[in-house]
Amino acid sequence: MPDVIIFYIIFISQICLISYYYPKKFLNRMSYVINTYPPSKYPKIYPKVGNDDPELKTRKAMQNYKNMNILTFILGFVLIIMAIYTDYSPKGEGEETFVVFYAMIQFFPLFLMELSEFKHLKRMRQANLKTTRTAVLKPRRFFNFISPFAFSLAVIMLTASISYDLYVNEFILEWNNDIVIRIFTLTIVHVYFAVLVIWHMYGRKKDPHQASKDRDNYVKTIVRTVVYTSIGISLFLIVDIAVDEYNVSYLDPVIMSVYFQLLAVFGIGTLLRSSDLKTIDFDVYKEDAPI
């Protein structure tokens, strides 16, 4: 019975954190920007497409994002009610699958918002008619954006997770072993992380008007998010392997729920904490902003 109560508490926490708390934070930020820096005074933030009203289009996108999160929030509590009605309790029979499936639904609105932002930045670059490009001649170094301690901790945790996996599996590597799949997956994920960091550090500006200090702050946020997420993944793998090793797989749904919440805290939370809208230079988005 205590295991069931703990599961319900953790799962409700997942519902509220990912489908209410962080969406509300994002919507508040978006509302602050559009109300404080409207298209009439800061047109470069809102590149027009055809005859669309950029403010109306932005507010519609915000409402769609809000509606999707309301639906996922309601769905989460419907699942809770169904679980209580059917007297559900984790038994270690793969129940974590539905936690994963629900988390994917929760993160889907955020994925759509990221895709929308990518398209928005592309339109900003297309609308930028400046032929002169400026650059700040200051080298970007990795450890300007993250402390050596945090990076070292990520490396240590990654090494520990792989070493523990090898130890539990008696250092037997075969192509059909789960350990090979896990190592391969970890490699792909961290290669992606490395490419993402390099792309943001040394690639062209995604926002053509962004002030240099704001870009550096954004790169710092990306680097920190990647490093903290890597630590979270390694920690999760160690716990997940230990659960199988000690035959307490009935804890898997709780562990998966905690894992997704930590991903949200390390990912979305880091982004929100590291980017204070009041410190951003919005003057560069004015019509008469200097080149």
Side-chain angles (χ1 to χ4, degrees):
M1 188 63 177
D3 298 335
V4 178
I5 294 174
I6 291 173
F7 169 74
Y8 285 146
I9 292 173
I10 295 296
F11 191 66
I12 289 173
S13 173
Q14 176 182 332
I15 296 170
C16 295
L17 183 71
I18 303 176
S19 292
Y20 174 74
Y21 178 75
Y22 281 132
K24 183 179 179 181
K25 288 281 189 180
F26 266 119
L27 287 169
N28 287 342
R29 286 169 64 89
M30 294 167 73
S31 295
Y32 174 83
V33 171
I34 198 168
N35 291 329
T36 310
Y37 308 101
S40 58
K41 295 183 179 179
Y42 300 84
K44 293 180 182 179
I45 303 178
Y46 313 90
K48 291 189 67 174
V49 178
N51 296 320
D52 290 344
D53 182 337
E55 181 172 352
L56 182 63
K57 187 174 181 179
T58 301
R59 292 191 183 279
K60 183 179 179 181
M62 290 168 59
Q63 187 62 48
N64 290 338
Y65 177 69
K66 180 179 180 179
N67 291 340
M68 285 189 289
N69 281 286
I70 288 173
L71 289 175
T72 60
F73 183 82
I74 294 172
L75 174 62
F77 279 97
V78 168
L79 292 173
I80 289 288
I81 293 170
M82 290 175 60
I84 294 173
Y85 181 76
T86 57
D87 198 26
Y88 165 78
S89 63
K91 297 181 176 64
E93 298 174 355
E95 299 97 334
E96 68 275 9
T97 303
F98 99 88
V99 177
V100 175
F101 181 70
Y102 177 65
M104 291 173 63
I105 295 175
Q106 285 186 290
F107 282 115
F108 187 67
L110 183 62
F111 168 76
L112 290 180
M113 190 170 71
E114 288 292 326
L115 184 62
S116 177
E117 182 184 9
F118 179 81
K119 293 179 179 178
H120 181 79
L121 291 173
K122 182 178 179 180
R123 288 195 296 268
M124 289 178 72
R125 292 194 298 272
Q126 291 172 340
N128 180 31
L129 301 179
K130 290 192 302 182
T131 57
T132 303
R133 297 291 183 263
T134 60
V136 176
L137 300 178
K138 184 179 80 173
R140 288 190 174 89
R141 297 185 176 88
F142 182 73
F143 289 115
N144 290 340
F145 302 106
I146 191 74
S147 71
F149 173 78
F151 178 73
S152 299
L153 180 60
V155 173
I156 291 170
M157 291 298 298
L158 179 61
T159 304
S161 66
I162 294 174
S163 300
Y164 183 55
D165 204 357
L166 287 168
Y167 171 76
V168 168
N169 287 276
E170 299 179 345
F171 297 92
I172 298 174
L173 292 174
E174 296 178 355
W175 287 112
N176 59 344
N177 274 7
D178 288 343
I179 182 175
V180 174
I181 297 174
R182 281 193 290 267
I183 292 175
F184 177 76
T185 303
L186 277 174
T187 302
I188 295 297
V189 167
H190 283 81
V191 167
Y192 166 74
F193 283 166
V195 171
L196 183 67
V197 168
I198 293 171
W199 185 47
H200 279 90
M201 284 182 63
Y202 303 112
R204 68 173 181 173
K205 286 201 299 185
K206 310 304 173 289
D207 179 346
H209 310 292
Q210 190 177 41
S212 179
K213 69 176 184 64
D214 293 330
R215 185 188 182 188
D216 286 347
N217 189 54
Y218 180 70
V219 172
K220 181 185 294 185
T221 301
I222 294 296
V223 173
R224 288 181 175 180
T225 301
V226 164
V227 171
Y228 297 158
T229 301
S230 173
I231 293 171
I233 291 173
S234 298
L235 182 61
F236 166 76
L237 284 176
I238 292 172
V239 173
D240 190 52
I241 295 166
V243 164
D244 292 337
E245 176 69 9
Y246 294 103
N247 197 27
V248 287
S249 55
Y250 62 88
L251 294 176
D252 276 338
V254 171
I255 293 170
M256 287 303 303
S257 183
V258 171
Y259 172 65
F260 284 117
Q261 291 181 66
L262 289 176
L263 280 184
V265 171
F266 287 137
I268 305 171
T270 299
L271 175 63
L272 292 173
R273 289 188 299 271
S274 303
S275 178
D276 184 354
L277 292 177
K278 294 181 180 179
T279 66
I280 294 176
D281 180 8
F282 280 94
D283 288 343
V284 297
Y285 300 105
K286 291 181 177 179
E287 183 65 48
D288 57 349
I291 296 177

